[in-house]
Amino acid sequence: MLELRGVSKTYGLNGQRVTAVADVTLSVAPGEFVALTGPSGCGKSTLLHLMGAMDRADRGEIWLADQPLHDLGEEELIQVRRRQIGFVFQFFYLLPTMTVEENVELPLLLAGVTCHLERVAALLEQVGLSHRARAYPATLSGGELQRAALARALVGRPRLIIADEPTGNLDSDNGGRVLEILRGLAGREGVAVVMATHSAEAAEVASRVLRMRDGRVQT
Ligand code: ADP
């Protein structure tokens, strides 16, 4: 599903080079739920950005299914992000002027997909938010916001979910609920999930834990 071969990423900062990701080789199979852990600054976010086609590696290859992300042009990468990858972040990033339902529908509208109301309703049901479909984000709790963001990430049927500290702003009950949804997706629907987390509880729910240190994934 997702394969990285010898991937490195270096940033230039104040004339100095910082190696954020160093020679990472790994693969994630369909249905796997992988937790990426490690101290702050070890490269988790950078690695997620590379996997999610949000940034380019300096070296190495990244394959999503049979597509070489390292070889694709900007336009093609945008299409891959829109159609094949779902993103979940610590700060939910719902649009405040749209209802929950409209936020969830938005990726489909952007992708030019029509006839999507049933899909949106089914997802809101799946994440336990049917009763909040017409509400605005400002009136939702943190847990509800993250479940809405999850529904939005899933609406286009992505093959890969990239989650950066998805429980970082939630109490343990709400965090647990979000993790259960992610685990269910991986288990039942064969979606690959890669989640960066500081939380030991979150890592425990994953099917595999990758530990990072100084830009490297420890084996
Ligand atoms: P983590 O997510 O594990 O906290 P990051 O991937 O954010 O780690 O950062 C890895 C390293 O790369 C750190 O040393 C960080 O300071 C550096 N870094 C991250 N993003 C940038 C950037 N845009 N410009 C310069 N340095 C960066």
Side-chain angles (χ1 to χ4, degrees):
M1 166 72 71
L2 177 68
E3 193 164 345
L4 279 70
R5 297 182 196 147
V7 169
S8 298
K9 175 78 184 177
T10 303
Y11 292 110
L13 197 61
N14 306 329
Q16 293 201 327
R17 306 298 299 170
V18 178
T19 301
V21 169
D23 194 21
V24 167
T25 294
L26 59 86
S27 57
V28 181
E32 261 198 299
F33 182 1
V34 175
L36 195 57
T37 67
S40 217
C42 70
K44 301 183 294 297
S45 296
T46 303
L47 190 57
L48 285 188
H49 280 96
L50 297 173
M51 290 172 165
M54 287 184 280
D55 202 356
R56 285 179 184 282
D58 301 327
R59 256 188 298 140
E61 297 185 359
I62 304 180
W63 294 80
L64 178 61
D66 51 359
Q67 306 153 104
L69 300 188
H70 50 281
D71 269 348
L72 299 186
E74 244 357 274
E75 242 342 281
E76 291 166 308
L77 284 180
I78 290 171
Q79 292 307 323
V80 168
R81 284 201 297 272
R82 278 202 187 143
R83 293 173 186 271
Q84 300 180 42
I85 306 176
F87 297 94
V88 184
F89 302 99
Q90 181 173 359
F91 305 100
F92 326 109
Y93 300 122
L94 297 172
L95 296 179
T97 55
M98 291 184 167
T99 63
V100 166
E101 182 172 72
E102 288 166 347
N103 266 282
V104 173
E105 187 184 15
L106 189 60
L108 294 181
L109 294 177
L110 290 173
V113 178
T114 48
C115 281
H116 31 64
L117 288 177
E118 275 177 23
R119 173 84 184 138
V120 171
L123 275 167
L124 288 176
E125 166 98 43
Q126 186 180 346
V127 301
L129 276 185
S130 302
H131 62 299
R132 305 296 270 142
R134 303 278 157 82
Y136 285 89
T139 67
L140 267 57
S141 70
E144 288 174 332
L145 288 170
Q146 192 59 303
R147 283 184 281 125
L150 255 176
R152 180 186 56 186
L154 296 173
V155 76
R157 300 184 196 280
R159 44 172 110 221
L160 172 67
I161 295 273
I162 297 285
D164 198 353
E165 297 282 356
T167 61
N169 257 321
L170 303 180
D171 60 38
S172 67
D173 278 358
N174 280 302
R177 209 159 161 190
V178 164
L179 292 170
E180 276 312 312
I181 295 170
L182 286 173
R183 180 157 78 173
L185 272 175
R188 281 194 311 274
E189 300 181 29
V191 177
V193 179
V194 183
M195 168 182 72
T197 185
H198 274 105
S199 146
E201 284 168 323
E204 244 172 51
V205 177
S207 54
R208 180 154 59 110
V209 179
L210 294 174
R211 287 175 219 292
M212 275 190 93
R213 177 171 285 274
D214 299 333
R216 293 179 187 276
V217 172
Q218 298 178 321
T219 45

